[in-house]
Amino acid sequence: MNVTPPTRSHALAEDLPLDSGQTLVGARIAYETYGELAEDRSNAVLICHALTGDQYVASTHPATGKPGWWERMVGPGKPIDTDRFHVICANVIGSCMGSTGPASDGPDGKPYGMRFPVITIRDMVRGLVALLDGLGIERLHGVVGGSMGGMQALSLAANWPERAGRVLVIASTARHSAQNIAFHEVGRQAIMADPGWAAGDYYSSDARPDNGLAVARMAAHITYLSEEGLTRKFGRRLQDREATSFSFDADFQVESYLRYQGSGFTQRFDANSYLYITRAMDYFDLAEEHGGKLANAFARSRHARFCIVSFDTDWLYPTTESRHIVHALNATGNRVSFVELSAPNGHDSFLLPHEQLDRVVHGFLNG
Amino acid sequence: MNVTPPTRSHALAEDLPLDSGQTLVGARIAYETYGELAEDRSNAVLICHALTGDQYVASTHPATGKPGWWERMVGPGKPIDTDRFHVICANVIGSCMGSTGPASDGPDGKPYGMRFPVITIRDMVRGLVALLDGLGIERLHGVVGGSMGGMQALSLAANWPERAGRVLVIASTARHSAQNIAFHEVGRQAIMADPGWAAGDYYSSDARPDNGLAVARMAAHITYLSEEGLTRKFGRRLQDREATSFSFDADFQVESYLRYQGSGFTQRFDANSYLYITRAMDYFDLAEEHGGKLANAFARSRHARFCIVSFDTDWLYPTTESRHIVHALNATGNRVSFVELSAPNGHDSFLLPHEQLDRVVHGFLNG
């Protein structure tokens, strides 16, 4: 990947303490904003991005030239209406779109690589809270996130309960399951098996662990889609041919698609960031952080309203995981609404057009 | 892997024609037998193995020293009773336990590598039928297979309907779905991304694509287990430690288990065989072979009895795929019984102790 400078970047005023006990010194958070901040600073909505997401939620990605990853959701007159809300979206620490991560220079002026400290979802949120401090935003109108973004929203609600009035969690979970960890471990092993990885010290080398990263992305990508969605989209259809080739070419459309997804990903993402962020997700267990009981995590969140959304074909973070969160919120008397939406495309559904999702998001933020 | 000579090996009397139009010259089939063949040769049961299986269904694996992969099912007094039946289990062509495959020497005396022809499930069965011819067995009492073994049983029933009186298909499918193909493609790309693979020409080299093969195995292994089974077996439990290490060690038991599965696999399996056999499975579509209609495949199988078994937590070849087979058999008036068994362990359930499965297998072969 080629690093493109972010459009906005905030240098944290203080060093960032981490769950590991280490400290991130001189960290920067890259971010984007959309819509005007009200004079009383009451209309800010923080959108938290997923594993491979970034701050370009509603503006063109500078490296790929593609539209923002949630442009259909965020903008003037859209469900998250930038005529009304001041939307903030920041790149998480550990990532590679301008916030401090393993590709950034450490204090010695050389890229961190694997010297970057292992971070957690709570550390990411700590960075986001420091950004909000820097921007002078004490209390968010709401925090919104899908997938890993939902984990951040939950972590913010649990650990900084005074910072958000509304918490919207889509297609997410309060803890990574054994199967979730297993898929991530496959991806990490694929990267680390690539000689181009060179124990993470590849930034000044010509070789890069692109092959390993592509395999990691391919494996993960399958988990983002439903079996039914894959069948509908590709089935056993062949790619640009009438019959199977009796070779190892990408005979099937689904093979061609996966290869394309894998190689495209290496153009925009850093392999070490992939290691660190998947690790943070695997470590995520909101109950374990709060004495082993998820309800404890929300004991201080009574002033917030919650909305939890799942998709019926999401097998990465299935509805049972969302119900688990809802039960914990009910147990502590928090205000929560919950909806399971029907959608054919599995986990990825939160990124795709879905009228009911639009209505839920709009209604929750404006209700 | 180190190749251990098989205990029994049959040189095919004739060259083997393949679906690709190519011919496999001078092929050998390695096999094992258990129990006496009756004088009228009517008591033979052919067991077909899965992707990474072998002929050692009920005897010690010569390379690993482990018991046969279905010892609980096959033996004196067991569900497939070797006091009554003459059990034959052969290594499929393309594999690496003694039957001709990419690690075997080609006609020029050098290992085939990627010069080995791409084969299909039907080609594997063609090899098995040639073995049966060589052994003088015209008609099997039954053919039994789980997973890819079930595909072979179906292919035998469809294409050589006079060769088997009973057809038992467990945890299998009549065609590979887009998701099935996608997972296999990840594994193939992991192998091919390993520089040790060297375009398949690694047999005389010190380097081997063990890292890539291990990643392929890890990804596949997840699909053999259910989410619930993984949670029950591992959950988020840590491996030999009290707290997470904030490192990329195998903190979680499920990580440690997967790494062990991956590296152990490279000791007993050839990476090129993995490529060829996954390809054969992806090509498998019994309906497509028979004019696009699955029922056509069984039009000539009316003298056989079928039993189709699925497991409720198998998401690799879910029950819907078995129902698809049953409907096709019903449509052609074939005798078929079908049972979905409840089991916690996903696709792997067919290899694990399961009393109901034992009763079904015993009852079907003896009824």
Side-chain angles (χ1 to χ4, degrees):
Chain A
M1 58 160 277
N2 302 306
V3 176
T4 309
T7 36
R8 294 183 196 199
S9 169
H10 177 81
L12 298 191
E14 295 174 27
D15 295 343
L16 197 68
L18 301 173
D19 281 342
S20 65
Q22 292 193 259
T23 302
L24 197 57
V25 179
R28 300 191 72 91
I29 307 272
Y31 67 102
E32 291 289 310
T33 66
Y34 310 85
E36 295 291 315
L37 182 62
E39 236 168 90
D40 65 358
R41 297 170 178 266
S42 66
N43 71 332
V45 171
L46 177 69
I47 298 180
C48 301
H49 69 72
L51 202 180
T52 68
D54 48 58
Q55 65 270 41
Y56 302 103
V57 60
S59 43
T60 305
H61 190 290
T64 66
K66 287 187 182 165
W69 55 268
W70 228 11
E71 286 223 1
R72 51 169 287 278
M73 187 63 81
V74 180
K78 294 189 180 174
I80 302 179
D81 189 349
T82 53
D83 286 339
R84 175 168 178 195
F85 296 118
H86 176 67
V87 169
I88 305 163
C89 187
N91 191 220
V92 296
I93 58 164
S95 187
C96 50
M97 286 305 293
S99 292
T100 301
S104 309
D105 286 343
D108 62 356
K110 291 178 188 159
Y112 277 107
M114 298 306 284
R115 302 176 306 155
F116 193 75
V118 166
I119 55 168
T120 64
I121 297 292
R122 183 160 56 184
D123 291 332
M124 294 176 186
V125 177
R126 203 170 269 127
L128 295 174
V129 169
L131 170 67
L132 296 178
D133 288 344
L135 299 176
I137 293 168
E138 272 194 34
R139 183 171 169 83
L140 295 162
H141 175 77
V143 57
V144 179
S147 196
M148 187 183 84
M151 299 180 194
Q152 295 165 65
L154 289 170
S155 180
L156 183 84
N159 297 297
W160 292 270
E162 70 287 359
R163 302 298 293 241
R166 285 173 175 80
V167 181
L168 176 51
V169 176
I170 308 171
S172 191
T173 179
R175 54 133 197 248
H176 243 209
S177 73
Q179 191 185 67
N180 295 152
I181 296 169
F183 275 114
H184 275 175
E185 175 66 3
V186 168
R188 287 190 293 265
Q189 291 295 319
I191 291 167
M192 291 176 164
D194 188 330
W197 180 60
D201 189 15
Y202 53 78
Y203 295 109
S204 58
S205 152
D206 286 339
R208 301 246 161 165
D210 284 350
N211 290 334
L213 182 61
V215 169
R217 176 64 167 181
M218 289 170 68
H221 201 81
I222 302 173
T223 70
Y224 303 153
L225 307 172
S226 69
E227 197 274 331
E228 308 89 284
L230 276 169
T231 295
R232 188 171 310 123
K233 193 166 180 178
F234 304 109
R236 295 182 49 82
R237 280 189 292 284
L238 302 176
Q239 178 73 30
D240 303 332
R241 62 199 71 196
E242 296 282 308
T244 50
S245 67
F246 291 99
S247 78
F248 291 91
D249 289 355
D251 277 1
F252 296 104
Q253 287 179 7
V254 67
E255 293 176 303
S256 172
Y257 171 78
L258 271 188
R259 290 186 191 181
Y260 177 81
Q261 291 294 328
S263 69
F265 183 58
T266 65
Q267 305 298 310
R268 69 173 180 90
F269 214 79
D270 176 50
N272 283 341
S273 282
Y274 197 82
L275 297 179
Y276 277 88
I277 298 179
T278 55
R279 197 58 169 161
M281 294 172 78
D282 290 350
Y283 275 2
F284 188 60
D285 183 350
L286 198 54
E288 193 271 336
E289 275 180 23
H290 293 85
K293 207 174 158 203
L294 188 57
N296 291 350
F298 303 119
R300 297 190 295 137
S301 319
R302 294 217 180 82
H303 298 293
R305 292 167 53 188
F306 288 81
C307 179
I308 313 292
V309 180
S310 71
F311 293 96
D312 58 355
T313 56
D314 183 352
W315 59 278
L316 187 68
Y317 304 137
T319 293
T320 47
E321 298 298 328
S322 284
R323 286 224 176 83
H324 195 54
I325 300 168
V326 173
H327 291 161
L329 287 163
N330 284 333
T332 42
N334 279 284
R335 284 178 295 174
V336 54
S337 58
F338 165 60
V339 59
E340 180 189 54
L341 297 176
S342 192
N345 292 308
H347 183 64
D348 255 4
S349 299
F350 83 95
L351 294 169
L352 300 171
H354 196 297
E355 273 184 37
Q356 272 181 289
L357 177 64
D358 294 354
R359 279 199 295 273
V360 168
V361 170
H362 181 265
F364 181 66
L365 289 179
N366 291 280
Chain B
M1 56 158 280
N2 302 307
V3 176
T4 310
T7 37
R8 294 183 197 199
S9 168
H10 177 82
L12 297 191
E14 294 175 27
D15 296 342
L16 197 67
L18 302 173
D19 281 343
S20 65
Q22 293 192 261
T23 303
L24 198 56
V25 179
R28 299 191 73 92
I29 308 272
Y31 68 102
E32 291 288 310
T33 66
Y34 310 86
E36 295 291 314
L37 182 61
E39 233 167 275
D40 65 359
R41 297 170 178 263
S42 67
N43 71 331
V45 171
L46 177 69
I47 298 181
C48 301
H49 69 71
L51 202 179
T52 68
D54 49 58
Q55 65 271 40
Y56 302 103
V57 60
S59 44
T60 305
H61 191 289
T64 66
K66 289 188 181 162
W69 55 268
W70 227 12
E71 286 223 358
R72 52 169 289 277
M73 186 63 81
V74 180
K78 294 189 180 175
I80 302 178
D81 189 349
T82 52
D83 285 340
R84 174 166 179 199
F85 296 118
H86 176 67
V87 169
I88 305 162
C89 186
N91 191 219
V92 297
I93 59 163
S95 188
C96 51
M97 287 303 293
S99 292
T100 300
S104 309
D105 286 343
D108 61 357
K110 291 178 186 156
Y112 278 105
M114 298 305 284
R115 300 176 306 156
F116 193 76
V118 166
I119 54 168
T120 64
I121 298 292
R122 183 160 55 185
D123 291 332
M124 294 176 186
V125 178
R126 202 170 271 129
L128 296 174
V129 169
L131 170 67
L132 295 178
D133 288 343
L135 299 176
I137 294 168
E138 270 194 35
R139 183 173 169 84
L140 295 162
H141 175 78
V143 57
V144 179
S147 196
M148 187 183 83
M151 299 179 194
Q152 293 165 67
L154 288 170
S155 180
L156 183 84
N159 297 297
W160 292 270
E162 69 287 359
R163 303 299 292 243
R166 286 172 174 79
V167 181
L168 174 51
V169 176
I170 308 171
S172 192
T173 179
R175 53 129 197 251
H176 243 211
S177 72
Q179 191 186 66
N180 295 152
I181 296 170
F183 275 114
H184 274 175
E185 176 65 4
V186 168
R188 286 190 293 264
Q189 290 296 319
I191 291 168
M192 291 177 164
D194 188 329
W197 180 61
D201 189 14
Y202 53 80
Y203 295 108
S204 59
S205 152
D206 287 338
R208 300 249 164 163
D210 284 350
N211 290 334
L213 182 60
V215 169
R217 175 64 166 181
M218 289 170 68
H221 202 81
I222 302 173
T223 69
Y224 303 153
L225 307 172
S226 69
E227 197 273 331
E228 308 90 284
L230 276 169
T231 295
R232 187 173 308 124
K233 192 166 180 179
F234 304 110
R236 295 182 48 83
R237 282 188 291 284
L238 302 177
Q239 177 74 29
D240 303 332
R241 63 199 70 197
E242 297 281 307
T244 51
S245 67
F246 291 100
S247 78
F248 291 91
D249 289 354
D251 278 0
F252 296 103
Q253 287 180 8
V254 67
E255 292 176 304
S256 171
Y257 171 78
L258 271 189
R259 290 186 191 181
Y260 177 81
Q261 291 295 329
S263 70
F265 184 59
T266 64
Q267 305 298 309
R268 69 173 181 90
F269 214 81
D270 176 50
N272 284 341
S273 282
Y274 197 84
L275 297 178
Y276 277 88
I277 299 178
T278 56
R279 198 59 170 158
M281 293 171 78
D282 291 349
Y283 274 2
F284 188 60
D285 182 349
L286 198 54
E288 192 271 333
E289 276 179 22
H290 294 86
K293 206 173 161 206
L294 188 56
N296 291 350
F298 303 120
R300 296 190 297 137
S301 320
R302 293 217 180 83
H303 298 294
R305 290 167 54 189
F306 288 80
C307 178
I308 313 292
V309 180
S310 70
F311 293 96
D312 58 355
T313 57
D314 183 351
W315 60 277
L316 187 68
Y317 305 136
T319 293
T320 47
E321 297 298 327
S322 283
R323 285 225 176 83
H324 195 55
I325 300 167
V326 173
H327 291 162
L329 286 164
N330 284 332
T332 41
N334 279 284
R335 284 178 294 173
V336 56
S337 59
F338 164 59
V339 60
E340 180 189 55
L341 297 176
S342 192
N345 292 307
H347 184 65
D348 256 3
S349 300
F350 83 95
L351 294 168
L352 300 171
H354 196 297
E355 273 184 39
Q356 272 180 289
L357 177 64
D358 293 355
R359 279 199 295 274
V360 168
V361 170
H362 180 265
F364 181 67
L365 289 179
N366 290 279

